[in-house]
């Protein structure tokens, strides 16, 4: 893990640079992707961190034994800095704030508001017919009986 200070956010962030696993005498090294990061005061949490489907862990080289391994961590959570006690601090989650369903709902609502606004604008532009009305003459009467 490494820690860097970014002036734009005015805080320190940590990134997972590598994961080294050893099993039965074989050592595999995975590079952490750029997507495993969090503020240094927080922990990082993700539902699934794998090396095969939407990989966040990538084998270090083509000759590394990690190419033969399929690693999957469920409910993955790490914290490398500012540990207090044995509990994780507030977690920075890997999931985005807006899911695809929320984006679709927001865009559909925006489209409907635009259609409604356009319709109201068109209705407000309607003018009443005054072609046959003469304000100085008698009003038009339409008999109800024939």
């Amino acid at each position: 893990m490494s820690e860097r200070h970014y002036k734009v956010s005015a805080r320190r962030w940590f990134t997972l640079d590598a994961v080294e696993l050893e099993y039965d005498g074989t050592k595999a090294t995975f590079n952490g992707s750029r997507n495993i990061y969090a503020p240094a005061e927080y922990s990082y949490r993700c539902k699934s961190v794998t090396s095969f489907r939407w990989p966040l862990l990538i084998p270090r080289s083509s000759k590394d034994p990690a190419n033969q391994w399929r690693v999957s961590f469920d409910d993955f959570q790490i914290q490398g800095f500012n540990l207090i006690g044995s509990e994780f601090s507030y977690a920075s989650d890997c999931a985005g704030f807006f899911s695809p369903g929320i984006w679709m709902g927001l865009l559909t609502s925006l489209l409907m508001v635009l259609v409604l606004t356009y319709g109201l604008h068109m209705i407000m532009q309607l003018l009443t017919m005054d072609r046959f009305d003469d304000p100085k003459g008698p009003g038009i009467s339409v008999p109800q009986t024939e």
Side-chain angles (χ1 to χ4, degrees), residues 25-46:
T26 305
K27 190 181 289 188
T29 305
F30 294 91
N31 287 335
S33 75
R34 293 179 180 231
N35 295 328
I36 300 179
Y37 63 90
E41 307 85 49
Y42 298 167
S43 64
Y44 173 84
R45 177 179 57 208
C46 198

Side-chain angles (χ1 to χ4, degrees), residues 16-145:
L16 181 66
D17 298 327
V19 174
E20 189 173 284
L21 301 174
E22 185 173 345
Y23 177 74
D24 204 21
T26 305
K27 190 181 289 188
T29 305
F30 294 91
N31 287 335
S33 75
R34 293 179 180 231
N35 295 328
I36 300 179
Y37 63 90
E41 307 85 49
Y42 298 167
S43 64
Y44 173 84
R45 177 179 57 208
C46 198
K47 180 69 178 163
S48 177
V49 173
T50 67
S51 65
F52 50 93
R53 185 176 180 196
W54 299 300
L56 291 175
L57 298 174
I58 302 157
R60 179 159 282 181
S61 68
S62 60
K63 296 179 182 179
D64 196 291
N67 288 309
Q68 300 168 0
W69 291 19
R70 293 181 68 160
V71 178
S72 176
F73 297 108
D74 292 328
D75 295 324
F76 181 77
Q77 188 167 4
I78 59 171
Q79 181 173 355
F81 305 99
N82 298 329
L83 294 171
I84 299 172
S86 61
E87 294 185 12
F88 288 111
S89 63
Y90 177 78
S92 175
D93 207 302
C94 67
F97 185 73
F98 291 111
S99 68
I102 291 174
W103 276 115
M104 288 189 296
L106 287 172
L107 291 176
T108 304
S109 299
L110 178 65
L111 178 68
M112 289 186 170
V113 166
L114 289 174
V115 169
L116 177 68
T117 304
Y118 179 74
L120 287 175
H121 179 69
M122 290 294 114
I123 288 174
M124 289 171 50
Q125 297 300 317
L126 288 177
L127 300 174
T128 58
M129 279 186 30
D130 56 355
R131 180 176 178 187
F132 302 107
D133 261 346
D134 184 11
K136 296 179 185 173
I140 299 174
S141 64
V142 179
Q144 297 293 327
T145 58

